Amino acid sequence: LTSRTSGTGNTLEEITFGNSNFVAVGYQGIITTSSDGTSWNAVSSGTSNTLYGITFGSNTFVAVGESGTILTSLDGITWTSRTSGTSSHFYQVAYGNGNFVAVGQYGIILTSSDGSTWSSMTSGTSQTMLGITYANGKFVTAGTGGEILTSNDGSNWTSRTSGTTN
C-alpha cells in the first residue's frame, strides 16, 4: 500500500465511489475528493458537523452525520444541505431498490427516493443503528444491543435475532 495525502488532518470516517470520483467524509464536516485515488482535494461541505457516512446511488452522493445533517451532491464537490427533521445523529446511509436509507441514534430511520426530501420511518427500536447495507433485495441495519433490522423497501422494518446483545 502507498500512503497518499488526503488534503486534511481530520479523521475520515467513510468513503464511496461514484460519477468517476472517490469521496471521503469525516470530522468537522470534512469532504475530500479524488478522481484517481492518488491526488486528493478538500472541498467545502458547508457544515462543521462530523460526517459519519456516505453513499452513492441514482447519480447522487448522500452524506450523513451529526445533529441530523444530510448533504447531497451530484459531483462530490458542490454540496447542498437537506432537511432531515431531526437533531439526532446519523451514522450510515445506503442506497438500494430506488431509495436512500439513513440510520442513526435512537433507532431513527429516514428514507428518500431522491436524496432531497426525507421521510421518517418507524423502526420499532430505540437502539442506535450504526451500519446499513443493501444486497439481495434487502436492507439490513445493525446497531447497539445486537439489534438487527431488515426491510425490503426501507419503510417497513422487521427485528431479527442476532444471537448477541453486543
Side-chain angles (χ1 to χ4, degrees), residues 4-13 26-28 30-32 40 42:
R4 303 292 181 197
T5 301
S6 68
T8 180
N10 291 349
T11 298
L12 296 171
E13 288 282 335
Y27 283 24
Q28 298 175 336
I30 190 68
I31 297 177
T32 187
W40 291 84

Side-chain angles (χ1 to χ4, degrees), residues 2-134:
T2 303
S3 178
R4 303 292 181 197
T5 301
S6 68
T8 180
N10 291 349
T11 298
L12 296 171
E13 288 282 335
E14 183 75 30
I15 191 167
T16 195
F17 181 84
N19 276 356
S20 301
N21 279 308
F22 295 97
V23 181
V25 299
Y27 283 24
Q28 298 175 336
I30 190 68
I31 297 177
T32 187
T33 67
S34 174
S35 61
D36 60 10
T38 300
S39 299
W40 291 84
N41 296 302
V43 299
S44 175
S45 67
T47 185
S48 60
N49 291 336
T50 294
L51 300 170
Y52 293 111
I54 187 168
T55 195
F56 181 81
S58 190
N59 209 36
T60 304
F61 291 97
V62 175
V64 298
E66 284 182 320
S67 303
T69 301
I70 298 178
L71 307 174
T72 61
S73 175
L74 297 178
D75 59 9
I77 297 167
T78 303
W79 292 86
T80 302
S81 179
R82 303 300 179 176
T83 301
S84 67
T86 183
S87 60
S88 295
H89 299 336
F90 290 106
Y91 292 111
Q92 193 56 262
V93 60
Y95 181 81
N97 197 24
N99 286 301
F100 293 97
V101 179
V103 298
Q105 277 184 314
Y106 316 117
I108 190 161
I109 297 178
L110 266 59
T111 64
S112 174
S113 60
D114 60 8
S116 298
T117 304
W118 292 82
S119 299
S120 181
M121 299 297 121
T122 301
S123 68
T125 185
S126 61
Q127 297 290 340
T128 294
M129 305 313 291
L130 297 168
I132 186 168
T133 193
Y134 180 84

